[in-house]
Amino acid sequence: MTRLLASAAIAAAIALGAPSATLALQSPAPAPAADSAFDKRAAQLVDLLNGKIAFADYFDPSFQQAIPEAQFKTFTTSLIAQYGTPVAIDRATSTSGRSGTVQLRFERGVATVLLDVGVAADERVTGLRVTGVAVANDSFGKVAAEIAALPGKTGFLVAELGDSGIRPLASANADRQFAVGSTIKLYILDELEAQVTAGKRKWSDVVPLSHFSFSSAGTANWPADTPVTLQTLANWMISVSDNGATDTLIHLIGRAPIEARMRAAGHSDPSRNIPLLTTVEAFALKGNNFADLRPIFIKSEDAAQRRLIEANQDRLVLQNVDGVSFIDGPRFIDSLEWFASPNDIARLMVDLRARRSETLLAAMAINNGVGPVAAANWKYLGYKGGSENGVLSMSLLGQRKSDEKWFVITASWNNPAANVDTGLLIGLVTRLLAIAGKAAS
């Protein structure tokens, strides 16, 4: 139910093959011939990204070992989702005939690509790195129009976070409650830091891994009661959206304190998330095995919902979750989920930043959601996303390099009738981030 936007994060977490040490130590090559190895490989970039040239035919074995084909495909898919289809090479410049810079035009932008070609006879590429993408004449208004055109319900907010509060720069439906999936885990992180600050806990405290769930990239198949630190659990929960780490933390720090933290952080409709469901409880209630409890839970008030959860703790466990029910499409995303508005997320980001916790901010920055190219204009960039069938949420907290001002960029897309296009929203949010990173305010 709460899969992290791992594809978005992986997109760009790869810097795509910096040149090897061997290449860096080579003596300068003579002036390139008219059709140098670099020119030939640069000319093939459009076909490569459009899938017309095989990965193994283009890249040297050293590159393939460092960046597997699946990882490269994830990266290129994200680029295309953000900037459209690659269409042409605007310029390719090299002084050696082996290494140089390519201006690669997409439908909605121009990418700067550093390209290195190996010295082997087959002249395959040993290094490829995208250092930036420029989008001409983009604006908040253009992105807002594209977000509004998505099927279902959408909302977003771009705002500066200053001493005087939250200053919106662009928004739509910023007060509407949306299903946000794993974004709710930021409230858990907030309460955990509050307990650390109060001296109740330490980030270095070692606790047993006590609860397991689906979609747990960090803790899947780990032995029960494996000792882990609170910082490890928090890093897993935020960076890879690990649900086992999440449920362990909920049981450890307490459901009620997290709910109280949500109220204190300014959530406008906290009852939507009370009682705060663990990921296993949410998975279970959505599934076919709990068709008897689900309508009762949905119709009940907060206190009755809490009693139902407590009375069925022995049933609401991973072994009883019916994962098959989540394959076909959205399930009860308007009534059985975790909810927040864009303005709620902005107030939460204010609270998180005010903690001045290096550990908390570091956890959010492990996976910045957009990668190094999109993050180029930001001194700090933290991220949390959330998704399930019909639900997609992306939220970023950033400090701009140019003036060290802080911003929040958050967007949600819900469609109870069909699954949503992850790559499409990633591209739109990345454009919002790019505009905020450059715009004078």
Side-chain angles (χ1 to χ4, degrees):
M1 173 175 174
T2 55
R3 298 187 308 274
L4 169 73
L5 297 172
S7 357
I10 290 173
I14 52 181
L16 282 189
S20 68
T22 302
L23 286 173
L25 292 173
Q26 282 182 302
S27 299
D35 290 322
S36 68
F38 170 84
D39 291 329
K40 292 175 183 177
R41 291 303 185 184
Q44 293 174 333
L45 266 176
V46 171
D47 284 344
L48 172 74
L49 297 185
N50 285 325
K52 297 179 180 179
I53 296 178
F55 177 82
D57 292 340
Y58 190 83
F59 288 109
D60 186 82
S62 63
F63 185 98
Q64 296 181 46
Q65 183 176 5
I67 307 295
E69 183 174 4
Q71 193 174 6
F72 180 76
K73 181 63 174 177
T74 299
F75 180 80
T76 57
T77 298
S78 176
L79 274 179
I80 292 170
Q82 294 170 38
Y83 304 110
T85 303
V87 293
I89 302 300
D90 281 358
R91 185 171 67 255
T93 306
S94 173
T95 58
S96 67
R98 293 283 176 183
S99 298
T101 303
V102 183
Q103 297 298 313
L104 173 61
R105 179 169 295 281
F106 291 78
E107 290 175 312
R108 295 188 294 274
V110 178
T112 299
V113 182
L114 303 184
L115 192 68
D116 300 282
V117 181
V119 296
D122 56 13
E123 296 181 334
R124 282 185 284 179
V125 168
T126 56
L128 186 155
R129 183 156 56 99
V130 177
T131 61
V133 182
V135 178
N137 302 317
D138 210 5
S139 68
F140 287 134
K142 289 180 180 179
V143 181
E146 292 182 43
I147 291 175
L150 297 173
K153 301 175 182 178
T154 59
F156 80 95
L157 172 68
V158 179
E160 181 184 338
L161 307 182
D163 295 336
S164 58
I166 299 169
R167 185 168 76 89
L169 302 178
S171 67
N173 300 318
D175 287 319
R176 176 180 289 177
Q177 293 291 312
F178 292 94
V180 295
S182 286
T183 305
I184 204 73
K185 295 171 183 177
L186 289 174
Y187 288 105
I188 303 171
L189 182 67
D190 196 15
E191 173 57 21
L192 179 56
E193 173 57 42
Q195 294 189 13
V196 169
T197 300
K200 185 175 181 180
R201 306 185 189 280
K202 297 178 182 178
W203 286 107
S204 59
D205 286 349
V206 176
V207 299
L209 183 63
S210 58
H211 291 76
F212 294 89
S213 184
F214 281 178
S215 190
S216 297
T219 63
N221 301 316
W222 279 53
D225 298 325
T226 295
V228 290
T229 67
L230 293 183
Q231 186 171 358
T232 298
L233 290 174
N235 287 348
W236 276 336
M237 176 179 71
I238 300 301
S239 67
V240 294
S241 214
D242 188 281
N243 288 328
T246 301
D247 287 2
T248 294
L249 283 172
I250 292 174
H251 284 277
L252 179 70
I253 66 180
R255 202 189 306 256
I258 299 167
E259 295 165 355
R261 182 60 50 197
M262 181 172 53
R263 296 188 192 95
H267 195 292
S268 58
D269 192 3
S271 179
R272 297 294 299 270
N273 302 314
I274 295 175
L276 181 78
L277 294 174
T278 66
T279 65
V280 158
E281 289 164 352
F283 278 129
L285 288 170
K286 280 178 175 279
N288 293 334
N289 288 341
F290 291 87
D292 57 334
L293 294 185
R294 181 171 54 248
I296 300 172
F297 180 87
I298 290 173
K299 293 178 182 178
S300 297
E301 299 297 327
D302 294 353
Q305 287 181 335
R306 195 181 302 278
R307 288 193 297 270
L308 184 148
I309 293 295
E310 292 172 351
N312 288 276
Q313 280 298 293
D314 292 342
R315 290 183 62 197
L316 295 168
V317 294
L318 181 57
Q319 291 82 353
N320 293 331
V321 172
D322 172 21
V324 175
S325 9
F326 308 124
I327 293 175
D328 292 336
R331 289 179 66 87
F332 313 105
I333 66 171
D334 290 332
S335 56
L336 188 56
E337 237 277 356
W338 299 280
F339 298 90
S341 71
N343 276 328
D344 291 335
I345 298 300
R347 288 187 285 267
L348 172 59
M349 292 297 193
V350 170
D351 208 48
L352 292 166
R353 184 170 72 98
R355 300 264 168 223
R356 300 186 182 278
S357 166
E358 292 183 5
T359 304
L360 179 154
L361 292 175
M364 293 177 62
I366 294 171
N367 164 10
N368 70 21
V370 293
V373 175
N377 291 323
W378 298 89
K379 181 178 179 180
Y380 170 84
L381 199 61
Y383 168 78
K384 189 73 196 79
S387 69
E388 68 161 293
N389 291 341
V391 173
L392 193 54
S393 172
M394 297 181 68
S395 297
L396 298 108
L397 173 67
Q399 185 180 29
R400 197 161 61 187
K401 280 183 180 178
S402 60
D403 53 15
E404 299 194 341
K405 291 182 178 181
W406 287 83
F407 296 82
V408 60
I409 298 92
T410 181
S412 290
W413 180 11
N414 293 174
N415 188 354
N419 294 336
V420 298
D421 185 336
T422 300
L424 190 53
L425 189 66
I426 292 170
L428 293 167
V429 170
T430 302
R431 288 167 61 194
L432 292 175
L433 182 69
I435 298 165
K438 295 177 182 179
S441 60

